[in-house]
Amino acid sequence: MEEEWSTSANEAIHISFYQTNPEGPEQLFSFNPEYTESFFGQDQSIFGYKDLKINLRFAAHDVYPNLEIEYSDKWKAVGDTSAVDLKKIFKENLPQYAFNNSEAFDTRLKDGAKAESFQPPGEYVNRYTVKDRHYEIWAGELSDPAVAKLIERVQILIPFFIDGGILIPTDDPEWSAGRWRVWFIFEKLASSSSPSPYSLVGYSTAYRFLTYQPSTSSLFTSTSTSTTQFTFPPTSPLSISSLPNRSRISQFLILPPHQGAGHGTHLYNAATASFLQDPACIEITVEDPNTAFDDLRDFSDYTRLSHNGTLGQITLSVDLDPKLTARRPKIRVPTSKLLNKPLLESLRIKNKLAPRQFARLVEMHLLAQIPKYTREANTARLSRKANANDRGDRAFYYWRLLVKQRIYRLHMDLLMQVEHEERVLRLEQTLQSQWEDYERLLGKMEERKAQIGEEEDGEDGDGEGDGDGEGDGDGEGDGDGEGDGDGEGDGDGEMGQGGGSLVRRGKRKVIDDDDEDEEGEGGEESSKKARVEDT
């Protein structure tokens, strides 16, 4: 009986986008949600209806929403058992006018005057072309009413396609709304009967976390007793966007019909370029990225750092003093002997990358410089370790050592709780997994370079992060015992809590990969689960 009255929410909900047309709304595409547990519980099931169909329709240009619920029969309440109140659930996630009847929605989409005057909110950023289709990126602050209106309308899609995603409050005081920045991608349809050529492709949000920056001005470094006068509270409004901050990418969504075409790469690069140009932004971070976003981010950041000359300045030292490589107790190779640490930090700050992400990119770059014959042999050629005659073999040995040091430092408290043999085994497993994942990413980058070389117009942006669900950046281990040193502690290499392995469960992770997990700054204003849904 219960199954007869239960419907899969993922199958019942149909999301459609329509163009304005004087003869009636013209459907562009339709799709179903991927996740509905935040609306209907873990079983993602709706009780109390037969032949249920929930039509969530949007105007393609300004994402004006309309909700229509259809069914052939509804369960009559018996005691405490009643049909799910669908309107009550959706009223928490859609503006009130979304519940106007479908005829009103159709009438609105026949009105070409409003559509013709529509312009995406915010400021124009750039345009690009993919397979003869034209796209524009626009960006604005959530404190802009036009931006807030679009977010209010479309963000119900976040929990539908980002596991654990939640909505951004759009009615907060300006002090809160001023922390958010939004980027939209619109397709500009070349041949269309609609008064508006615009159709939403996807969007991303970022949140500014204010951060303390010690002053280096003479006011604080001078021994002078002079003072500076200031007024508090300030006489003019204080803009959050002008204060030193870490910008955290929070939500990132490409609509399913547009996925796999490289739009995620364009969107991420546009947001990153904005951060790099903003003097108030000191660091770019990401909130709880999923596997698809990790790949996209690695590819985009690695490409940018290659093109701007950053990675070309970073080398791994392989000709070290033999005393530093002696196999004696308490003899460890300092990281500062393998890498120019002051240079690395200056490059990281210049590129505004979080320590974890920058460490990954450096490790991938250094691995890519090691000859393939050494990498393909894995540890088979490393019997002499630092005393190997081949520079490539020494480089691979020191690269493994470098990554192990970082992993060990990051998980020192956990590793010190196990016996030495198990510690070595876990480090070996962790580094091995990290190395394999770097090789996978480097291989994809080489494939992408070859693909671009074959394209006459160099269509920009398919590349990595197209949502293939492959794993990235964990840091799984290598263990001939050298990992107990003074390596860096700002990377991944997450470790399991039990058994003999440090590898992350699933394809990539066992714990949150938030770039700022040491800060604990999210609070209630964070959007949680800042992830990408395909690219």
Side-chain angles (χ1 to χ4, degrees):
M1 175 66 72
E2 184 174 344
E3 291 183 0
E4 182 182 358
W5 290 92
S6 296
T7 306
S8 166
N10 291 4
E11 296 176 1
I13 298 173
H14 300 267
I15 303 167
S16 306
F17 279 70
Y18 289 80
Q19 267 195 311
T20 300
N21 191 313
E23 299 180 1
E26 179 182 344
Q27 181 175 305
L28 292 178
F29 46 78
S30 180
F31 49 91
N32 300 98
E34 184 174 346
Y35 306 105
T36 53
E37 61 264 32
S38 61
F39 298 91
F40 303 107
Q42 191 170 2
D43 61 353
Q44 303 183 88
S45 178
I46 303 173
F47 175 77
Y49 302 89
K50 288 185 177 180
D51 303 317
L52 177 64
K53 188 173 182 180
I54 302 172
N55 298 314
L56 179 56
R57 303 191 295 170
F58 293 93
H61 62 292
D62 64 359
V63 290
Y64 188 94
N66 175 253
L67 182 73
E68 182 183 41
I69 301 172
E70 301 174 343
Y71 51 86
S72 62
D73 199 5
K74 183 176 180 179
W75 172 273
K76 294 180 181 179
V78 178
D80 294 335
T81 304
S82 60
V84 172
D85 190 339
L86 294 172
K87 285 191 175 181
K88 180 180 179 181
I89 290 174
F90 284 106
K91 279 183 178 179
E92 298 175 0
N93 301 277
L94 286 169
Q96 183 60 40
Y97 49 80
F99 299 90
N100 295 339
N101 59 49
S102 59
E103 289 77 12
F105 178 78
D106 292 346
T107 300
R108 188 179 188 277
L109 287 188
K110 291 180 182 180
D111 181 4
K114 288 185 178 180
E116 189 173 9
S117 63
F118 173 79
Q119 176 177 290
E123 300 177 348
Y124 168 81
V125 176
N126 62 40
R127 63 171 57 92
Y128 62 94
T129 300
V130 176
K131 297 180 180 179
D132 297 325
R133 297 174 67 173
H134 307 291
Y135 303 89
E136 294 181 357
I137 298 179
W138 293 70
E141 303 294 323
L142 191 62
S143 54
D144 179 345
V147 173
K149 181 179 290 186
L150 251 69
I151 292 298
E152 179 187 38
R153 292 173 175 177
V154 76
Q155 67 174 339
I156 188 175
L157 299 182
I158 292 299
F160 279 151
F161 292 98
I162 299 179
D163 188 15
I166 62 175
L167 308 190
I168 298 173
T170 56
D171 56 353
D172 272 8
E174 186 163 341
W175 181 257
S176 176
R179 294 173 181 254
W180 290 95
R181 186 161 178 80
V182 185
W183 291 262
F184 299 99
I185 298 181
F186 285 88
E187 181 175 8
K188 196 167 185 180
L189 301 169
S191 57
S192 172
S193 58
S194 173
S196 173
Y198 288 105
S199 175
L200 184 70
V201 171
Y203 78 96
S204 177
T205 64
Y207 188 81
R208 298 180 179 96
F209 282 106
L210 302 188
T211 182
Y212 170 70
Q213 285 291 96
S215 175
T216 57
S217 69
S218 59
L219 172 63
F220 296 91
T221 57
S222 172
T223 57
S224 171
T225 58
S226 63
T227 60
T228 299
Q229 299 295 324
F230 64 92
T231 302
F232 188 84
T235 55
S236 58
L238 183 63
S239 170
I240 281 192
S241 62
S242 66
L243 300 177
N245 65 81
R246 285 186 173 94
S247 294
R248 178 183 290 182
I249 295 175
S250 179
Q251 298 167 327
F252 198 104
L253 175 68
I254 302 297
L255 299 182
H258 293 286
Q259 291 174 10
H263 299 298
T265 301
H266 286 285
L267 187 57
Y268 178 79
N269 287 341
T272 301
S274 175
F275 298 142
L276 291 172
Q277 294 169 7
D278 181 4
C281 173
I282 62 169
E283 194 170 276
I284 306 167
T285 64
V286 177
E287 182 182 352
D288 193 14
N290 68 2
T291 55
F293 192 90
D294 272 333
D295 277 5
L296 180 153
R297 184 188 187 192
D298 287 338
F299 176 79
S300 299
D301 287 348
Y302 191 95
T303 301
R304 184 177 67 258
L305 266 60
S306 296
H307 289 170
N308 69 15
T310 295
L311 295 180
Q313 302 179 56
I314 302 172
T315 58
L316 180 68
S317 298
V318 297
D319 298 316
L320 302 184
D321 186 338
K323 294 180 180 179
L324 293 174
T325 61
R327 298 286 296 170
R328 297 197 304 272
K330 298 183 180 180
I331 294 295
R332 298 291 180 262
V333 180
T335 305
S336 59
K337 299 296 183 181
L338 298 174
L339 294 170
N340 185 336
K341 292 176 66 177
L343 173 63
L344 286 181
E345 182 63 7
S346 67
L347 293 174
R348 184 190 72 81
I349 293 173
K350 179 181 179 180
N351 287 281
K352 301 186 179 182
L353 289 171
R356 168 200 179 265
Q357 179 65 2
F358 188 68
R360 290 179 46 75
L361 299 173
V362 169
E363 289 168 0
M364 277 193 285
H365 164 68
L366 295 177
L367 179 63
Q369 309 311 306
I370 298 172
K372 283 191 176 182
Y373 64 80
T374 294
R375 289 151 51 189
E376 290 172 353
N378 200 350
T379 58
R381 295 174 56 95
L382 303 186
S383 59
R384 298 190 63 193
K385 302 185 183 298
N387 295 316
N389 293 325
D390 189 284
R391 289 181 60 85
D393 292 346
R394 294 202 303 275
F396 193 41
Y397 169 77
Y398 284 129
W399 180 86
R400 286 164 51 90
L401 173 61
L402 184 71
V403 179
K404 278 194 301 182
Q405 287 179 336
R406 177 175 63 81
I407 294 171
Y408 184 88
R409 184 68 175 269
L410 183 64
H411 299 286
M412 184 182 297
D413 291 343
L414 176 62
L415 287 170
M416 294 308 295
Q417 299 174 26
V418 300
E419 297 295 328
H420 177 76
E421 291 78 9
E422 183 177 358
R423 186 185 315 158
V424 170
L425 175 62
R426 289 193 180 192
L427 281 170
E428 175 64 32
Q429 292 170 330
T430 304
L431 179 57
Q432 182 70 19
S433 177
Q434 179 73 90
W435 166 63
E436 291 173 356
D437 196 64
Y438 284 164
E439 292 285 9
R440 177 186 66 83
L441 289 167
L442 290 171
K444 281 194 168 187
M445 291 178 194
E446 287 299 321
E447 291 175 5
R448 177 58 185 151
K449 288 179 182 178
Q451 178 184 351
I452 292 176
E454 294 173 358
E455 296 173 352
E456 291 184 358
D457 57 356
E459 284 177 355
D460 39 301
D462 303 293
E464 304 303 304
D466 282 349
D468 46 14
E470 298 186 17
D472 139 343
D474 310 334
E476 330 284 83
D478 168 29
D480 26 19
E482 310 102 293
D484 305 22
D486 23 0
E488 307 298 304
D490 50 7
D492 17 15
E494 307 302 346
M495 302 190 173
Q497 298 297 318
S501 172
L502 303 181
V503 298
R504 298 183 186 182
R505 290 167 177 78
K507 295 236 178 167
R508 198 168 300 180
K509 309 172 183 176
V510 297
I511 66 172
D512 188 2
D513 245 352
D514 197 319
D515 283 326
E516 294 184 290
D517 53 357
E518 77 280 3
E519 304 262 341
E521 298 173 283
E524 295 182 356
E525 297 189 57
S526 172
S527 68
K528 191 75 174 170
K529 303 292 183 184
R531 304 184 179 183
V532 61
E533 176 54 34
D534 211 322
T535 57

